[in-house]
Amino acid sequence: MNNIIYLDNQSTTPIDPEVLKSIDPYLNQLFGNPASINHILGWQAEEAVEIAREYVSSSIGAQSNEIIFTSGATESINIALKGLVGTHIKSGDHIITTNIEHKSVIDVLNFISKQNINISFIPVNKDGIIDVDKIKKNITEKTKLCTIIHGNNEIGTIQPIQEIGNVCKKNNIIFHVDAAQTLGKKEINVNQMKIDLLSVSGHKIYAPKGIGALFIKRKNPRIELTPILHGGGHEYGYRPGTLPVHNIVGFGTACKIAKKNQHTDNKHINNMKKILLNGLKKIFPDLIINGQLENRLEGNLNITFPKYSAEKIMVKLTEIACSTGSACSSSTPTPSHVLLALGLKKEQINNTIRFGIGKFNTVEEINNVIDMFNKKFRGN
């Protein structure tokens, strides 16, 4: 496994050694339940959770009491969107979204639609960006929610969140953002961006799997959600169950590191992306980049190779770990809905690979990848 070059960081990231170090004490020595209020092990656990909550909240410009911990962005999305039904969203109301959302959002919205709630999936342009004017044109007096992905998990494009947030605020529409891919990588300020609900995940920013968070705005407006799980008063009553203190500590540490190193990490990752793209262009002059190149996640390259299937490339280059699409839908044999939304045909989609570069990748690794492609495909 040590010989594998990992370029699938949109799917998941390795745990940062500093994060791993912060977790260790809470797996053996400081193993208390934060809900145990009668002894020191419980107090230590509760303190660790609240410190982590501060790190997470400060990374998005929120208050700590606006953060609840979940198992990941998928659960956060479910709590947020399903929880609005019955409080802020009623039968006959309307929701606006895009046609390139993550499957966790699409599946929840399809479930909600069965309760006589109308959903508008607005198409993005050929570069994978939503036209804000299209959102404005789709707003009706029944529109109660707009949910938009910040950074797309497949093509990496970044949506104009602040502009959309201003439109939502002006029209008294609740604004939910899926920021699983952008937390710690792009600037996020929930107040400046007029975000009411924001879903994030730990394993996209070098924290463990199985931990995430949901930001719930407390005022102007105060967002009230109907709990979808029951079983105790944990996390302000929204997410019952004993808290995984070790994972929460790891998530908080990862947010702290990301906030400190965001600029440096992005510069390093962007440099490697340019090297990889320029190297591949020399081997495949006809390659196609999917999604707007300038306005995207630094580590994302989604490339169509017109003359080669992704399967053929990956069979020849088993030393590289990359992806043919979203890992969350890789078990589904249908073509990527994101690439279809860009207008790609099925054959083009079958010839498409997503490279996800992370902060632990090196220039040497990227050059090795180019050399591998060069040896296997140059002149073929």
Side-chain angles (χ1 to χ4, degrees), residues 92-166:
D93 282 340
H94 176 233
I95 297 172
I96 291 174
T97 189
T98 76
N99 62 345
I100 62 164
E101 297 301 304
H102 191 276
K103 284 288 287 182
S104 57
V105 169
I106 293 172
D107 288 350
V108 172
L109 292 179
N110 286 337
F111 173 82
I112 290 173
S113 70
K114 296 173 184 176
Q115 301 177 56
N116 192 35
I117 294 167
N118 301 308
I119 318 290
S120 291
F121 291 93
I122 302 175
V124 295
N125 64 23
K126 62 181 177 61
D127 292 323
I129 306 293
I130 190 69
D131 183 345
V132 179
D133 285 336
K134 287 186 178 180
I135 292 177
K136 292 177 182 177
K137 289 175 182 176
N138 275 270
I139 293 173
T140 74
E141 61 180 14
K142 289 288 188 177
T143 305
K144 299 297 172 65
L145 169 69
C146 180
T147 177
I148 304 290
I149 192 169
H150 189 188
N152 188 269
N153 52 299
E154 292 191 49
I155 57 174
T157 51
I158 304 297
Q159 302 302 332
I161 293 299
Q162 183 154 349
E163 194 177 347
I164 297 170
N166 289 336

Coordinates of all heavy atoms in Angstrom, one line a residue, residues 92-166:
G92 N -47.4 22.0 0.3 CA -47.6 23.0 -0.8 C -46.5 24.1 -0.9 O -46.5 24.9 -1.9
D93 N -45.5 24.0 0.0 CA -44.4 25.0 -0.1 C -43.4 24.5 -1.2 O -43.5 23.4 -1.8 CB -43.7 25.1 1.3 CG -44.5 26.0 2.2 OD1 -45.3 26.8 1.7 OD2 -44.3 25.9 3.4
H94 N -42.4 25.4 -1.4 CA -41.5 25.2 -2.5 C -40.0 25.3 -2.1 O -39.7 26.1 -1.2 CB -41.8 26.3 -3.6 CG -40.9 26.3 -4.7 ND1 -40.2 27.5 -5.1 CD2 -40.5 25.4 -5.6 CE1 -39.5 27.2 -6.2 NE2 -39.7 26.0 -6.5
I95 N -39.2 24.5 -2.6 CA -37.7 24.5 -2.4 C -36.9 24.6 -3.7 O -37.3 24.0 -4.7 CB -37.3 23.1 -1.7 CG1 -38.0 23.0 -0.3 CG2 -35.8 23.1 -1.5 CD1 -37.8 21.6 0.4
I96 N -35.9 25.4 -3.6 CA -35.0 25.6 -4.8 C -33.6 25.0 -4.5 O -33.1 25.1 -3.4 CB -34.8 27.1 -5.1 CG1 -36.1 27.7 -5.6 CG2 -33.7 27.4 -6.1 CD1 -36.1 29.2 -5.8
T97 N -33.1 24.3 -5.5 CA -31.8 23.7 -5.4 C -31.2 23.7 -6.8 O -31.8 24.2 -7.8 CB -31.8 22.3 -4.8 OG1 -30.5 21.9 -4.5 CG2 -32.5 21.3 -5.7
T98 N -30.0 23.0 -7.0 CA -29.4 22.9 -8.3 C -29.5 21.4 -8.8 O -29.8 20.5 -8.0 CB -27.9 23.3 -8.3 OG1 -27.1 22.3 -7.7 CG2 -27.8 24.6 -7.6
N99 N -29.1 21.2 -10.0 CA -29.1 19.8 -10.5 C -27.8 19.1 -10.4 O -27.5 18.0 -10.9 CB -29.6 19.8 -12.0 CG -28.6 20.5 -12.9 OD1 -27.8 21.3 -12.5 ND2 -28.8 20.3 -14.2
I100 N -26.8 19.7 -9.6 CA -25.5 19.1 -9.3 C -25.3 18.9 -7.8 O -24.1 18.8 -7.4 CB -24.4 19.8 -10.0 CG1 -24.2 21.3 -9.4 CG2 -24.5 19.9 -11.5 CD1 -22.9 21.9 -9.7
E101 N -26.3 18.8 -7.0 CA -26.2 18.6 -5.6 C -25.6 17.2 -5.3 O -25.8 16.3 -6.2 CB -27.5 18.8 -4.9 CG -28.0 20.2 -5.0 CD -27.1 21.3 -4.4 OE1 -26.7 21.2 -3.2 OE2 -26.8 22.2 -5.2
H102 N -25.1 17.0 -4.2 CA -24.6 15.7 -3.7 C -25.9 14.8 -3.6 O -27.0 15.3 -3.3 CB -23.9 15.8 -2.4 CG -23.2 14.6 -2.0 ND1 -23.8 13.6 -1.3 CD2 -21.9 14.2 -2.1 CE1 -23.0 12.6 -1.0 NE2 -21.8 13.0 -1.5
K103 N -25.7 13.5 -3.8 CA -26.8 12.6 -3.7 C -27.5 12.6 -2.3 O -28.7 12.4 -2.3 CB -26.3 11.1 -4.0 CG -26.0 10.9 -5.4 CD -27.3 10.8 -6.2 CE -28.0 9.5 -6.0 NZ -29.3 9.3 -6.8
S104 N -26.8 12.9 -1.3 CA -27.4 13.0 0.0 C -28.5 14.1 0.1 O -29.5 13.9 0.8 CB -26.4 13.2 1.1 OG -25.6 14.4 0.9
V105 N -28.3 15.2 -0.6 CA -29.3 16.3 -0.7 C -30.4 15.8 -1.6 O -31.6 16.0 -1.3 CB -28.6 17.6 -1.2 CG1 -29.7 18.6 -1.5 CG2 -27.7 18.1 -0.1
I106 N -30.0 15.3 -2.8 CA -31.1 14.9 -3.8 C -32.0 13.9 -3.2 O -33.2 14.0 -3.4 CB -30.4 14.4 -5.1 CG1 -29.7 15.6 -5.8 CG2 -31.4 13.8 -6.0 CD1 -28.8 15.1 -6.9
D107 N -31.5 12.9 -2.6 CA -32.3 11.8 -2.0 C -33.2 12.3 -0.9 O -34.4 11.9 -0.8 CB -31.4 10.7 -1.5 CG -30.8 9.9 -2.6 OD1 -31.1 10.1 -3.8 OD2 -29.9 9.1 -2.3
V108 N -32.7 13.2 -0.1 CA -33.6 13.8 1.0 C -34.7 14.7 0.4 O -35.9 14.6 0.8 CB -32.7 14.6 2.0 CG1 -33.7 15.4 2.9 CG2 -31.8 13.7 2.7
L109 N -34.4 15.4 -0.6 CA -35.4 16.3 -1.3 C -36.4 15.5 -2.0 O -37.6 15.8 -2.0 CB -34.7 17.3 -2.3 CG -33.8 18.4 -1.6 CD1 -33.2 19.2 -2.7 CD2 -34.6 19.2 -0.7
N110 N -36.0 14.4 -2.6 CA -37.0 13.5 -3.3 C -37.9 12.9 -2.2 O -39.1 12.7 -2.5 CB -36.3 12.4 -4.0 CG -35.6 12.9 -5.3 OD1 -36.1 13.9 -5.9 ND2 -34.6 12.2 -5.8
F111 N -37.4 12.6 -1.0 CA -38.2 12.0 0.1 C -39.2 13.1 0.5 O -40.4 12.8 0.7 CB -37.3 11.6 1.2 CG -38.0 11.2 2.5 CD1 -38.6 9.9 2.6 CD2 -38.2 12.1 3.5 CE1 -39.3 9.6 3.7 CE2 -38.9 11.8 4.7 CZ -39.4 10.5 4.8
I112 N -38.7 14.3 0.7 CA -39.5 15.4 1.2 C -40.7 15.7 0.2 O -41.8 16.1 0.6 CB -38.7 16.7 1.4 CG1 -37.8 16.5 2.7 CG2 -39.5 17.9 1.6 CD1 -36.8 17.6 2.9
S113 N -40.3 15.6 -1.1 CA -41.3 15.9 -2.2 C -42.6 15.1 -2.1 O -43.7 15.5 -2.5 CB -40.7 15.8 -3.5 OG -40.5 14.4 -3.9
K114 N -42.5 13.9 -1.4 CA -43.7 13.1 -1.3 C -44.7 13.6 -0.3 O -45.8 13.1 -0.2 CB -43.2 11.7 -0.9 CG -42.4 11.0 -1.9 CD -41.8 9.6 -1.4 CE -40.9 9.0 -2.4 NZ -40.2 7.8 -1.8
Q115 N -44.3 14.7 0.4 CA -45.2 15.3 1.4 C -45.8 16.6 0.8 O -46.0 17.6 1.5 CB -44.4 15.6 2.7 CG -43.8 14.4 3.3 CD -43.0 14.7 4.5 OE1 -43.5 15.3 5.5 NE2 -41.7 14.3 4.5
N116 N -46.0 16.6 -0.6 CA -46.6 17.7 -1.3 C -45.8 18.9 -1.2 O -46.3 20.0 -1.0 CB -48.1 17.9 -0.8 CG -48.8 18.8 -1.8 OD1 -48.6 18.8 -3.0 ND2 -49.7 19.7 -1.2
I117 N -44.5 18.8 -1.3 CA -43.6 19.9 -1.3 C -42.9 19.9 -2.6 O -42.3 18.9 -3.1 CB -42.5 19.8 -0.1 CG1 -43.3 19.9 1.2 CG2 -41.5 20.9 -0.2 CD1 -42.4 19.5 2.4
N118 N -42.9 21.1 -3.3 CA -42.4 21.2 -4.7 C -40.9 21.5 -4.7 O -40.5 22.4 -3.9 CB -43.2 22.2 -5.4 CG -44.7 21.9 -5.5 OD1 -45.0 20.8 -5.9 ND2 -45.5 22.9 -5.1
I119 N -40.2 20.8 -5.5 CA -38.7 21.0 -5.6 C -38.4 21.5 -7.0 O -38.8 20.9 -8.0 CB -37.9 19.7 -5.3 CG1 -38.5 19.0 -4.1 CG2 -36.4 20.0 -5.2 CD1 -38.3 19.6 -2.8
S120 N -37.6 22.6 -7.1 CA -37.1 23.1 -8.4 C -35.6 22.8 -8.5 O -34.8 23.3 -7.7 CB -37.3 24.6 -8.6 OG -38.7 24.9 -8.7
F121 N -35.2 21.9 -9.4 CA -33.8 21.6 -9.6 C -33.3 22.4 -10.8 O -33.5 22.1 -11.9 CB -33.6 20.1 -9.9 CG -33.8 19.2 -8.8 CD1 -35.1 18.6 -8.6 CD2 -32.8 18.8 -7.9 CE1 -35.3 17.7 -7.5 CE2 -33.1 18.0 -6.8 CZ -34.3 17.4 -6.6
I122 N -32.6 23.5 -10.4 CA -32.2 24.5 -11.5 C -30.9 24.1 -12.1 O -29.9 23.8 -11.4 CB -32.1 25.9 -10.8 CG1 -33.4 26.3 -10.2 CG2 -31.6 26.9 -11.9 CD1 -33.3 27.6 -9.5
P123 N -30.9 24.0 -13.4 CA -29.7 23.6 -14.1 C -28.5 24.6 -14.0 O -28.8 25.8 -14.1 CB -30.1 23.4 -15.6 CG -31.3 24.3 -15.7 CD -32.0 24.3 -14.4
V124 N -27.3 24.1 -13.9 CA -26.1 24.9 -13.9 C -25.7 25.1 -15.4 O -26.2 24.5 -16.3 CB -25.0 24.3 -13.1 CG1 -25.3 24.2 -11.7 CG2 -24.6 22.9 -13.7
N125 N -24.8 26.1 -15.6 CA -24.3 26.3 -17.0 C -23.2 25.2 -17.3 O -22.9 24.4 -16.5 CB -23.7 27.7 -17.1 CG -22.5 28.0 -16.2 OD1 -21.8 27.1 -15.8 ND2 -22.3 29.3 -16.0
K126 N -22.6 25.3 -18.5 CA -21.7 24.3 -19.0 C -20.4 24.3 -18.1 O -19.7 23.3 -18.2 CB -21.3 24.6 -20.4 CG -20.7 25.9 -20.7 CD -20.4 26.1 -22.2 CE -19.7 27.4 -22.5 NZ -18.5 27.6 -21.8
D127 N -20.2 25.3 -17.4 CA -19.0 25.3 -16.5 C -19.3 24.9 -15.1 O -18.4 24.9 -14.2 CB -18.4 26.8 -16.4 CG -17.8 27.2 -17.7 OD1 -17.2 26.4 -18.4 OD2 -17.9 28.4 -18.1
G128 N -20.6 24.5 -14.8 CA -20.9 23.9 -13.5 C -21.3 25.0 -12.5 O -21.2 24.7 -11.3
I129 N -21.6 26.2 -12.9 CA -21.9 27.3 -12.0 C -23.4 27.7 -12.2 O -23.9 27.8 -13.3 CB -21.1 28.5 -12.3 CG1 -19.6 28.2 -12.3 CG2 -21.4 29.6 -11.3 CD1 -19.0 27.7 -10.9
I130 N -24.1 27.9 -11.1 CA -25.5 28.3 -11.1 C -25.6 29.8 -11.4 O -24.8 30.6 -10.9 CB -26.2 28.0 -9.8 CG1 -27.7 28.2 -9.9 CG2 -25.7 28.8 -8.6 CD1 -28.4 27.2 -10.8
D131 N -26.5 30.2 -12.3 CA -26.8 31.6 -12.6 C -27.8 32.1 -11.5 O -28.9 31.6 -11.4 CB -27.4 31.7 -13.9 CG -27.7 33.1 -14.4 OD1 -27.7 34.0 -13.5 OD2 -28.0 33.3 -15.6
V132 N -27.4 33.0 -10.7 CA -28.2 33.5 -9.6 C -29.5 34.1 -10.1 O -30.5 34.0 -9.4 CB -27.4 34.6 -8.8 CG1 -28.3 35.1 -7.6 CG2 -26.1 34.0 -8.2
D133 N -29.5 34.6 -11.3 CA -30.8 35.2 -11.9 C -31.8 34.1 -12.1 O -33.0 34.3 -12.0 CB -30.5 35.9 -13.2 CG -29.9 37.2 -13.1 OD1 -30.0 37.8 -12.0 OD2 -29.2 37.7 -14.0
K134 N -31.3 32.8 -12.4 CA -32.3 31.7 -12.5 C -32.9 31.4 -11.2 O -34.1 31.0 -11.1 CB -31.5 30.5 -13.1 CG -31.2 30.6 -14.5 CD -30.6 29.3 -15.1 CE -30.3 29.4 -16.5 NZ -29.8 28.1 -17.1
I135 N -32.2 31.5 -10.1 CA -32.7 31.3 -8.8 C -33.8 32.4 -8.5 O -34.9 32.1 -8.0 CB -31.6 31.4 -7.7 CG1 -30.7 30.2 -7.8 CG2 -32.2 31.5 -6.3 CD1 -29.5 30.2 -6.8
K136 N -33.5 33.6 -8.8 CA -34.5 34.7 -8.6 C -35.7 34.5 -9.4 O -36.9 34.7 -8.9 CB -33.8 36.1 -9.1 CG -32.7 36.5 -8.2 CD -32.1 37.8 -8.8 CE -30.9 38.3 -8.0 NZ -30.3 39.6 -8.6
K137 N -35.6 34.0 -10.6 CA -36.8 33.8 -11.5 C -37.7 32.6 -11.0 O -38.9 32.5 -11.3 CB -36.4 33.5 -12.9 CG -35.8 34.7 -13.6 CD -35.3 34.4 -15.0 CE -34.7 35.6 -15.7 NZ -34.1 35.3 -17.0
N138 N -37.1 31.7 -10.2 CA -37.8 30.5 -9.7 C -38.5 30.8 -8.3 O -39.2 29.9 -7.8 CB -36.9 29.3 -9.7 CG -36.8 28.6 -11.0 OD1 -37.6 27.7 -11.3 ND2 -35.9 29.0 -11.8
I139 N -38.2 31.9 -7.7 CA -38.7 32.2 -6.4 C -40.2 32.5 -6.5 O -40.6 33.3 -7.4 CB -38.0 33.4 -5.7 CG1 -36.6 33.0 -5.4 CG2 -38.7 33.8 -4.5 CD1 -35.7 34.1 -4.9
T140 N -41.0 31.9 -5.7 CA -42.5 32.2 -5.6 C -42.8 32.6 -4.2 O -42.0 32.5 -3.3 CB -43.3 31.0 -6.1 OG1 -43.3 30.0 -5.0 CG2 -42.8 30.4 -7.4
E141 N -44.0 32.9 -3.9 CA -44.4 33.3 -2.5 C -44.4 32.0 -1.7 O -44.5 32.1 -0.4 CB -45.8 33.9 -2.6 CG -46.9 33.0 -3.1 CD -48.3 33.6 -3.1 OE1 -48.4 34.9 -2.9 OE2 -49.3 32.9 -3.3
K142 N -44.3 30.8 -2.3 CA -44.3 29.6 -1.5 C -42.9 29.1 -1.3 O -42.7 28.0 -0.6 CB -45.1 28.5 -2.3 CG -46.6 28.7 -2.3 CD -47.2 28.4 -0.9 CE -48.7 28.4 -0.9 NZ -49.3 28.1 0.4
T143 N -41.9 29.8 -1.8 CA -40.5 29.3 -1.7 C -40.0 29.6 -0.2 O -40.0 30.7 0.2 CB -39.6 30.1 -2.7 OG1 -40.1 29.9 -4.0 CG2 -38.2 29.5 -2.6
K144 N -39.7 28.5 0.5 CA -39.3 28.6 1.9 C -37.8 28.2 2.1 O -37.3 28.5 3.2 CB -40.2 27.7 2.7 CG -41.7 28.1 2.6 CD -41.9 29.5 3.2 CE -43.3 30.0 3.0 NZ -44.3 29.2 3.7
L145 N -37.2 27.5 1.1 CA -35.8 27.0 1.4 C -35.1 27.0 0.0 O -35.6 26.7 -1.0 CB -35.9 25.6 1.9 CG -34.6 24.8 2.0 CD1 -33.6 25.4 3.0 CD2 -34.8 23.3 2.3
C146 N -33.8 27.4 0.1 CA -32.9 27.2 -1.0 C -31.7 26.4 -0.4 O -31.1 26.8 0.6 CB -32.4 28.6 -1.5 SG -31.2 28.5 -2.9
T147 N -31.3 25.3 -1.0 CA -30.2 24.5 -0.6 C -29.2 24.3 -1.7 O -29.6 23.9 -2.8 CB -30.7 23.1 0.0 OG1 -29.5 22.4 0.4 CG2 -31.5 22.4 -1.0
I148 N -28.0 24.7 -1.5 CA -26.9 24.8 -2.5 C -25.6 24.2 -2.0 O -25.2 24.4 -0.9 CB -26.7 26.3 -3.0 CG1 -28.0 27.0 -3.4 CG2 -25.6 26.3 -4.1 CD1 -28.5 26.5 -4.7
I149 N -25.0 23.4 -2.9 CA -23.7 22.9 -2.5 C -22.6 24.0 -2.8 O -22.7 24.7 -3.8 CB -23.4 21.6 -3.4 CG1 -22.2 20.9 -2.9 CG2 -23.3 21.9 -4.9 CD1 -22.0 19.5 -3.5
H150 N -21.7 24.1 -1.8 CA -20.7 25.2 -1.9 C -19.6 24.8 -3.0 O -19.4 25.5 -4.0 CB -20.1 25.4 -0.6 CG -19.2 26.6 -0.5 ND1 -18.4 27.0 0.6 CD2 -19.0 27.6 -1.4 CE1 -17.8 28.1 0.3 NE2 -18.0 28.5 -0.9
G151 N -19.0 23.7 -2.7 CA -18.0 23.1 -3.6 C -18.4 21.8 -4.1 O -18.6 20.9 -3.2
N152 N -18.5 21.6 -5.4 CA -19.0 20.3 -5.9 C -18.0 19.2 -5.7 O -16.8 19.3 -6.0 CB -19.4 20.4 -7.4 CG -20.1 19.1 -7.8 OD1 -19.4 18.2 -8.3 ND2 -21.4 19.1 -7.7
N153 N -18.4 18.0 -5.2 CA -17.6 16.9 -4.9 C -17.0 16.2 -6.1 O -16.0 15.5 -6.0 CB -18.3 15.9 -4.1 CG -19.6 15.4 -4.7 OD1 -20.5 16.3 -4.9 ND2 -19.8 14.2 -5.0
E154 N -17.6 16.4 -7.3 CA -17.1 15.7 -8.5 C -16.3 16.7 -9.4 O -15.2 16.3 -9.8 CB -18.3 15.2 -9.3 CG -18.9 14.0 -8.6 CD -19.9 13.3 -9.6 OE1 -19.5 12.9 -10.7 OE2 -21.1 13.0 -9.2
I155 N -16.8 17.8 -9.6 CA -16.1 18.8 -10.6 C -15.4 19.9 -9.9 O -14.8 20.8 -10.5 CB -17.0 19.3 -11.7 CG1 -18.3 20.0 -11.1 CG2 -17.5 18.1 -12.6 CD1 -19.2 20.6 -12.1
G156 N -15.6 20.1 -8.5 CA -14.9 21.1 -7.8 C -15.4 22.5 -7.9 O -14.8 23.4 -7.2
T157 N -16.4 22.8 -8.7 CA -16.8 24.2 -8.9 C -17.4 24.8 -7.6 O -18.1 24.1 -6.8 CB -17.8 24.3 -10.0 OG1 -18.9 23.3 -9.8 CG2 -17.2 24.0 -11.4
I158 N -17.1 26.1 -7.5 CA -17.5 26.8 -6.3 C -18.7 27.7 -6.7 O -18.6 28.5 -7.6 CB -16.4 27.7 -5.7 CG1 -15.2 26.8 -5.4 CG2 -16.8 28.5 -4.5 CD1 -15.4 25.8 -4.3
Q159 N -19.8 27.6 -6.0 CA -21.0 28.4 -6.3 C -20.9 29.8 -5.6 O -20.3 29.9 -4.5 CB -22.2 27.7 -5.8 CG -22.4 26.3 -6.5 CD -22.4 26.3 -8.0 OE1 -22.8 27.3 -8.6 NE2 -22.0 25.2 -8.6
P160 N -21.6 30.8 -6.1 CA -21.6 32.2 -5.6 C -22.5 32.2 -4.3 O -23.6 32.8 -4.3 CB -22.1 33.0 -6.7 CG -23.0 32.1 -7.5 CD -22.4 30.7 -7.4
I161 N -22.0 31.7 -3.2 CA -22.8 31.5 -2.0 C -23.3 32.8 -1.4 O -24.5 32.9 -1.0 CB -22.1 30.6 -1.0 CG1 -21.9 29.2 -1.5 CG2 -22.8 30.6 0.4 CD1 -23.2 28.4 -1.8
Q162 N -22.4 33.8 -1.3 CA -22.8 35.0 -0.7 C -23.9 35.7 -1.5 O -24.8 36.3 -1.0 CB -21.6 35.9 -0.5 CG -21.9 37.2 0.2 CD -20.7 37.9 0.9 OE1 -19.7 37.2 1.1 NE2 -20.9 39.1 1.3
E163 N -23.7 35.7 -2.8 CA -24.8 36.3 -3.7 C -26.1 35.6 -3.5 O -27.2 36.3 -3.4 CB -24.3 36.3 -5.1 CG -25.1 37.2 -6.1 CD -24.5 37.2 -7.5 OE1 -23.4 36.6 -7.7 OE2 -25.2 37.7 -8.4
I164 N -26.1 34.3 -3.5 CA -27.3 33.6 -3.3 C -27.9 33.8 -1.9 O -29.1 34.0 -1.7 CB -27.1 32.0 -3.5 CG1 -26.6 31.7 -4.9 CG2 -28.3 31.2 -3.2 CD1 -26.1 30.3 -5.1
G165 N -27.0 33.9 -0.9 CA -27.4 34.2 0.5 C -28.2 35.5 0.6 O -29.2 35.7 1.3
N166 N -27.6 36.5 -0.1 CA -28.3 37.9 -0.2 C -29.7 37.8 -0.8 O -30.6 38.4 -0.3 CB -27.4 38.9 -0.9 CG -26.1 39.2 -0.2 OD1 -26.1 39.1 1.0 ND2 -25.1 39.6 -1.0

